[in-house]
Amino acid sequence: MIVTVTPNPSLDRTLEVEALNRGEVVRAYADRSDPGGKGVNVSRALVANGHPSRAVLPLGGADGELLASLLQGLGIEVASVPIADAIRSNVTVVEPDGTVTKLNAPGPQLSGAEVEALLERAVAVTDGAAWVVGSGSLAPGTPDDLYARLAAAVRPVGVRVAVDTSGPALESVLAAGPDVLKPNEEELSEVTGVIPETLGDVVLAANELRSKGVGTVLVSLGPSGAVLVTDGQAFHGESGVIVPRSTVGAGDALLAGFLAAGGEGPEEGVAWGAAACVLPGTAVPGPGDLRRDLVRTHPVDPERRLALDDDRRRSTHA
């Protein structure tokens, strides 16, 4: 059992278009709605591949009821915390070349009592769990140390903690010593000040996080795969060439696969993350989507340069 905690869940609607042109009427040729939020995505990926997961999340409004229904329909145990405000709805627009434009709402304002109830609910449902995953952005008004408090609360019961977040919440959780931290390249740079150009730079920044109390660092690197840094070791995992359809949720699938495999090596996580990239919207991969035969894992070559995704390529040539 893996418990996920999503402080700011959402309903995610994905539209696929031929081209996104500002100021024009753009007609989508495909659309879908999925349960959203990074922790929710982790639970969805786990259950799709036969691993039980329990989702802890605040729910309010009609969209909250719909989200709970969708999750239960997928076989995910829902441990909800009622809140006064409605949860958010997000819109993702995907173009044929894989370019993704996301419009994310801020989310509901959680009261102090609702935040405390969320933490209490998370601790209460950890019985029998191997991992607790704190993942995603924080709703407005939620204290930056929520994930740090979550780690401190569940550690006495022997549950390992993985965290995937950004900004002040990421800064705050370092000293709490999560067992696994999963930043992407941008988040790694923001929290360490290192702008990685090579795999060696990634390892250097990851070890800086480990020096602050983090156990294992799993860095998602988009087209460059992922780097896993743990005690005295660093591994690079990558998949064969794929044409991405939507990269939304790929990092969540990476983390889900990594934890499903026991949190040991990057191979399974990379297979799940790569499979997510070729699916529409925030769809999660199932067993039939995984191409483990395309995954290669090897010690990190510190001189190897990172592949540029479209955002970095534009900034480099600006």
Side-chain angles (χ1 to χ4, degrees):
M1 172 61 68
I2 295 177
V3 174
T4 63
V5 180
T6 309
N8 200 8
S10 64
L11 277 178
D12 285 354
R13 186 175 186 187
T14 301
L15 304 175
E16 297 189 52
V17 302
E18 292 294 344
L20 180 59
N21 300 314
R22 292 182 60 196
E24 297 184 9
V25 174
V26 179
R27 301 191 184 280
Y29 59 82
D31 74 283
R32 60 180 292 144
S33 294
D34 296 297
K38 292 181 70 62
V40 166
N41 291 339
V42 172
S43 284
R44 290 171 59 216
L46 288 166
V47 169
N49 288 276
H51 300 273
S53 184
R54 185 178 297 133
V56 181
L57 63 172
L59 292 178
D63 282 349
E65 294 178 5
L66 177 56
L67 177 59
S69 177
L70 290 172
L71 291 175
Q72 290 165 348
L74 294 172
I76 297 171
E77 294 184 33
V78 177
S80 62
V81 174
I83 59 173
D85 291 345
I87 65 167
R88 59 183 177 152
S89 294
N90 297 332
V91 176
T92 298
V93 182
V94 180
E95 298 174 74
D97 64 355
T99 299
V100 174
T101 302
K102 296 190 67 177
L103 303 175
N104 286 353
Q109 183 87 25
L110 298 187
S111 69
E114 289 168 344
V115 170
E116 292 302 322
L118 184 66
L119 284 169
E120 291 173 5
R121 188 74 165 129
V123 175
V125 301
T126 56
D127 184 38
W131 291 90
V132 171
V133 181
S135 191
S137 64
L138 302 182
T142 305
D144 295 338
D145 66 350
L146 177 71
Y147 290 132
R149 293 170 62 191
L150 175 66
V154 302
R155 182 165 288 116
V157 298
V159 180
R160 290 177 289 177
V161 178
V163 175
D164 180 6
T165 190
S166 59
L170 175 56
E171 292 271 5
S172 179
V173 81
L174 298 180
D179 298 280
V180 172
L181 193 68
K182 196 220 73 66
N184 60 27
E185 179 185 345
E186 181 180 355
E187 291 157 353
L188 183 70
S189 179
E190 287 178 353
V191 77
T192 64
V194 176
I195 301 176
E197 297 292 339
T198 66
L199 294 180
D201 294 334
V202 173
V203 174
L204 176 68
N207 276 324
E208 181 177 333
L209 298 182
R210 294 191 68 251
S211 71
K212 296 180 179 180
V214 177
T216 295
V217 181
L218 176 66
V219 187
S220 54
L221 296 170
S224 291
V227 164
L228 177 69
V229 181
T230 185
D231 292 328
Q233 296 180 304
F235 298 99
H236 178 215
E238 55 187 334
S239 184
V241 176
I242 60 172
V243 178
R245 183 172 180 181
S246 172
T247 58
V248 179
D252 306 324
L254 166 71
L255 179 58
F258 175 71
L259 297 181
E264 298 296 331
E267 300 92 341
E268 190 74 354
V270 170
W272 289 32
C277 289
V278 299
L279 297 174
T282 56
V284 297
D289 301 308
L290 304 181
R291 292 293 308 274
R292 296 181 179 89
D293 57 308
L294 296 180
V295 177
R296 303 180 301 279
T297 304
H298 35 73
V300 167
D301 174 1
E303 302 301 321
R304 180 169 169 179
R305 300 188 67 81
L306 300 181
L308 294 180
D309 59 21
D310 289 340
D311 290 338
R312 293 189 66 207
R313 187 174 290 110
R314 280 192 290 269
S315 65
T316 299
H317 293 290

